[in-house]
């Protein structure tokens, strides 16, 4: 019901069983991470009105750590979460974070919005690329989530490094792909991204 954005049905279910607000449900690739609570699911599918209802009913925007903000589909969802206490920067030693994830997806407008809301362009995540394909290589293969492109690592990388290395646009074709990479890099640099640190990691990785 949350995934479909059915506010009336969600209100009826929560009214009958309030503990559903804290229950974690399987949602596509997030099932491998223990699922998501309803606020994060509503954020994942861009249902800002439903998010408002769930939060007012007692749903915790931080029930999934920063999962709700990482998966936010639009600026309305981001603003709602931040205005209700969600943390904009990744947790210490986290393998992903809100800004890093949007850099990975090449969502230029959400990267810019997070930076406008004071996301730290130099907040590291502890990950490395394992490789991946943003689109199916054959008609029978499902789309691979970008969340699966990063794996935990013992060294940090930064949002600008992720933007340049993601398979969703790639450092190999700065002027092609979806055309968003130059805008993302410019937004990060304008916000104070440490280009020297990113360059050191890129050189070490041979990019």
């Amino acid at each position: 019901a949350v995934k479909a954005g059915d506010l009336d049905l969600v209100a009826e279910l929560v009214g009958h069983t309030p503990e559903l607000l804290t229950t974690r449900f399987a949602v596509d690739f997030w099932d491998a991470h223990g699922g998501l609570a309803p606020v994060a699911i509503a954020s994942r599918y861009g249902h800002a009105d439903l998010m408002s209802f769930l939060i007012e009913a007692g749903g915790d925007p931080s029930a999934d750590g920063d999962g709700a903000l990482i998966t936010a589909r639009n600026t309305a969802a981001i603003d709602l979460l931040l205005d209700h206490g969600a943390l904009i920067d990744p947790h210490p030693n986290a393998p992903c974070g809100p800004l890093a994830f949007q850099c990975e997806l090449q969502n230029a407008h959400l990267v810019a919005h997070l930076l406008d809301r004071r996301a730290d362009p130099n907040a590291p995540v502890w990950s490395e690329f394992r490789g991946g394909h943003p689109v199916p290589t054959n008609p029978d293969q499902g789309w691979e989530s970008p969340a699966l492109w990063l794996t935990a690592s013992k060294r940090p990388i930064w949002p600008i490094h992720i933007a340049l290395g993601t398979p969703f646009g790639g450092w190999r074709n700065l002027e092609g792909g979806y055309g968003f990479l130059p805008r993302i890099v410019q937004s990060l640099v304008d916000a104070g991204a440490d280009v020297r640190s990113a360059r050191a990691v890129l050189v070490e990785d041979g990019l």
Side-chain angles (χ1 to χ4, degrees):
V2 174
K3 181 177 178 180
D6 191 331
L7 180 55
D8 292 337
L9 180 55
V10 170
E12 180 180 346
L13 292 170
V14 169
H16 184 266
T17 313
E19 55 267 29
L20 289 174
L21 288 168
T22 57
T23 302
R24 298 170 74 90
F25 298 91
V27 180
D28 52 58
F29 62 88
W30 287 97
D31 187 31
H33 301 279
L36 292 174
V39 171
I41 297 173
S43 175
R44 168 86 172 84
Y45 290 96
H47 303 313
D49 57 339
L50 187 50
M51 290 174 64
S52 295
F53 167 79
L54 291 167
I55 291 171
E56 291 174 5
D60 182 2
S62 300
D64 298 284
D66 52 9
L69 193 54
I70 286 176
T71 62
R73 184 62 61 89
N74 51 44
T75 58
I78 289 172
D79 289 340
L80 188 60
L81 291 166
L82 292 176
D83 291 345
H84 285 84
L87 298 177
I88 197 168
D89 291 322
H91 299 285
N93 301 318
C96 194
L99 182 59
F101 189 68
Q102 298 304 337
C103 286
E104 192 177 5
L105 282 178
Q106 301 282 281
N107 283 331
H109 67 296
L110 295 186
V111 168
H113 191 69
L114 285 167
L115 292 168
D116 286 343
R117 291 297 307 255
R118 311 302 296 175
D120 183 357
N122 296 309
V125 294
W126 296 76
S127 294
E128 61 185 1
F129 285 107
R130 70 162 180 80
H133 303 282
V135 295
T137 55
N138 66 70
D140 297 324
Q141 181 182 8
W143 183 77
E144 182 178 51
S145 165
L148 302 179
W149 296 343
L150 290 174
T151 58
S153 173
K154 294 183 179 180
R155 70 169 187 175
I157 55 175
W158 293 267
I160 194 169
H161 173 256
I162 292 172
L164 290 168
T166 175
F168 220 108
W171 58 273
R172 297 180 180 82
N173 188 7
L174 299 183
E175 302 302 326
Y178 293 89
F180 298 140
L181 181 56
R183 288 168 52 194
I184 291 172
V185 172
Q186 189 64 59
S187 293
L188 291 167
V189 170
D190 289 346
D194 186 350
V195 178
R196 289 175 299 178
S197 294
R199 182 181 295 117
V201 176
L202 290 167
V203 169
E204 184 177 341
D205 286 349
L207 299 185

